Amino acid sequence: MNCHDQLSLALQSNRITRRQVLWLFGAAALSGCATSPVGGGSILVGMSEADEKRVDQQVAPAQFSQDLGPIQDGAVNQYVSSVGHRLDANTHRPQMPYSYRVLNANYVNAYTFPGGAMGVTRGILVDLQNEAELAALLGHELGHVNARHAAQRQGQAMVAQVAVAGANLVAAGSGWGGLVDIGSQLGASAMLSSYSRDNEREADALGQEYMVRAGYPATGMVGLQQLLVDQEKEAPGLLQTMFSTHPMSSERRDTARRLADDKYAASNSRDPGRERFMDSTASLRHLKPTIDACQKGDLAMAGKQYPKAEEQYRAALQKTSRDYAANLLMAQCLQAQDKSAQALNYAETAKQIYPQEAQAHKLSGILALAQRDPAKAYANLDAYDRMLPGDAGITFLKGVSLEGMGKRQEAAGQYAAYLRRTRQGQAASYAQSRLQSWGYLK
């Protein structure tokens, strides 16, 4: 009897081992020239403007979900959107379908997709001091869209996709991250790799131009850059993601200051909007102690210091027991320590807090499978699949869950669907072996 047959029998008897669970999760993990709208020069991109918009529609929702979805605070999201739209009306590409949301992620960052779908983490928003700094942050991202930097990155990501897929497969068996991030979108992770320093300088310059056009003082860009430089010195680990996608430096701060003092000097008497910003973000800034504790937990998780991470997430939950991100992160932390029953409780709580967000459903499904409850696993994985369809790893795990429920024909349908997506890797080998054993394939 081969290992695939042994695993199939274990699934049918609900006696899968932890080693088999880890194997399943690891197995499921998974150009041309154009004219720049800014300056008219020739640039290398991987897509047309229609492609840029299509990528946003297809890829952005999954990446935003990886960052735990938009915060459940409609007023704050609306406020950030209003600032963004005030800016994007003054860009070189005002026709793009710009959109803005504050994400539940605790790390310090903001990013955009090629068509202008933008995310700002709550981790950075709570550290800004006024609306002009927010305008600088959004303006910088608008600079990337208008200079088509994001389109260039996506084009390069298309070329490199096979290499990225291989790297992700290797990482899948390396720890908690591989288990939690099953089926993450390759295009998003590749596209959000670092821009060149020239790209960053151009985005800074465009962002400062756009915010001045929109009526803000140019000093907002100086304040933003100073904030990030200060935080890099004080807690560099908290900015590791920000600095991988947006490398900061005193040079860029100094350039922003020179422009503010010279080219845009007349703008500096304008109101930076501190009172409006503070009033509009008060509900989120109230969560800053919770966000700070989550950041420390995330750092400990990255270093595989799981007990320390658990301590920080507990501190976050003591401050805000109904925080979606803190509950989900605690579930991930407990999962990493083989405390799947406790982890499932936190994942289920997260799901109750924010039922419209997909990640809690996925993690609940994974943990239920580890707890040998295939019916519960399938229900959660199917809910995730309805929210974010197209994840091949989830299709495979749905097949595994159905097989564990004794629903061979339905499991075969999922395995066949998985094989239509890919025929390489351990999951494909297992799916094919089941279809052959059951007589669906010769």
Side-chain angles (χ1 to χ4, degrees), residues 53-67:
K53 297 174 183 177
R54 187 160 51 248
V55 164
D56 280 29
Q57 294 171 351
Q58 294 176 347
V59 180
Q63 180 60 42
F64 293 145
S65 182
Q66 288 289 316
D67 281 327

Side-chain angles (χ1 to χ4, degrees), residues 3-81:
C3 62
H4 289 168
D5 292 333
Q6 292 173 355
L7 175 56
S8 183
L9 286 175
L11 285 170
Q12 293 170 41
S13 61
N14 283 331
R15 292 179 179 176
I16 58 174
T17 66
R18 179 178 180 275
R19 182 184 296 273
Q20 288 172 324
V21 168
L22 291 175
W23 184 91
L24 284 169
F25 296 159
L30 277 164
S31 68
C33 286
T35 299
S36 170
V38 180
S42 180
I43 58 174
L44 181 67
V45 297
M47 61 187 69
S48 66
E49 185 172 293
D51 291 331
E52 291 177 279
K53 297 174 183 177
R54 187 160 51 248
V55 164
D56 280 29
Q57 294 171 351
Q58 294 176 347
V59 180
Q63 180 60 42
F64 293 145
S65 182
Q66 288 289 316
D67 281 327
L68 309 186
I71 60 172
Q72 293 171 281
D73 191 326
V76 173
N77 276 308
Q78 181 57 42
Y79 168 66
V80 171
S81 294

Side-chain angles (χ1 to χ4, degrees), residues 88-102:
D88 64 46
N90 290 276
T91 63
H92 292 82
R93 305 174 76 191
Q95 79 281 3
M96 296 300 286
Y98 298 104
S99 61
Y100 308 86
R101 74 276 300 139
V102 182

Side-chain angles (χ1 to χ4, degrees), residues 140-357:
H140 177 91
E141 298 306 325
L142 288 167
H144 283 307
V145 175
N146 280 266
R148 304 199 73 191
H149 297 156
Q152 294 176 63
R153 298 306 307 176
Q154 181 66 17
Q156 294 168 21
M158 290 175 178
V159 175
Q161 190 166 11
V162 174
V164 173
N168 280 9
L169 184 61
V170 172
S174 63
W176 71 275
L179 304 187
V180 173
D181 293 333
I182 289 172
S184 61
Q185 297 293 321
L186 299 181
S189 60
M191 190 203 73
L192 296 174
S193 59
S194 61
Y195 292 111
S196 71
R197 289 194 175 274
D198 284 344
N199 284 167
E200 292 297 341
R201 293 186 183 102
E202 186 174 23
D204 284 346
L206 288 169
Q208 202 165 16
E209 176 184 344
Y210 296 154
M211 63 184 295
V212 171
R213 287 186 188 179
Y216 293 101
T219 50
M221 182 65 77
V222 182
L224 171 67
Q225 302 268 6
Q226 184 64 57
L227 166 70
L228 294 170
V229 170
D230 289 346
Q231 289 197 6
E232 182 188 24
K233 294 176 182 176
E234 294 169 9
L238 297 181
L239 290 174
Q240 58 185 341
T241 305
M242 180 67 175
F243 279 77
S244 70
T245 57
H246 300 285
M248 306 301 298
S249 69
S250 57
E251 172 216 332
R252 290 173 58 194
R253 176 203 58 202
D254 293 344
T255 298
R257 182 176 290 139
R258 282 195 299 272
L259 286 169
D261 291 343
D262 183 13
K263 183 177 180 180
Y264 301 122
S267 74
N268 293 330
S269 60
R270 297 170 181 171
D271 178 13
R274 177 175 170 79
E275 184 176 350
R276 182 168 56 250
F277 177 82
M278 291 296 174
D279 288 345
S280 299
T281 61
S283 58
L284 183 63
R285 287 185 296 102
H286 179 72
L287 297 177
K288 183 168 171 52
T290 301
I291 294 169
D292 289 344
C294 285
Q295 287 178 335
K296 293 174 184 176
D298 292 348
L299 275 179
M301 282 290 283
K304 298 186 178 181
Q305 298 174 304
Y306 302 129
K308 183 177 180 180
E310 182 178 344
E311 179 183 350
Q312 291 297 330
Y313 294 140
R314 288 196 188 282
L317 288 166
Q318 286 174 358
K319 294 175 174 66
T320 314
S321 62
R322 298 288 292 174
D323 185 67
Y324 173 73
N327 277 278
L328 191 63
L329 292 167
M330 175 63 92
Q332 294 175 353
C333 182
L334 291 168
Q335 179 204 26
Q337 299 175 79
D338 293 329
K339 301 175 181 178
S340 58
Q342 295 178 51
L344 183 56
N345 288 334
Y346 282 99
E348 287 292 311
T349 298
K351 194 172 67 175
Q352 293 168 11
I353 292 168
Y354 197 171
Q356 303 90 347
E357 213 298 296

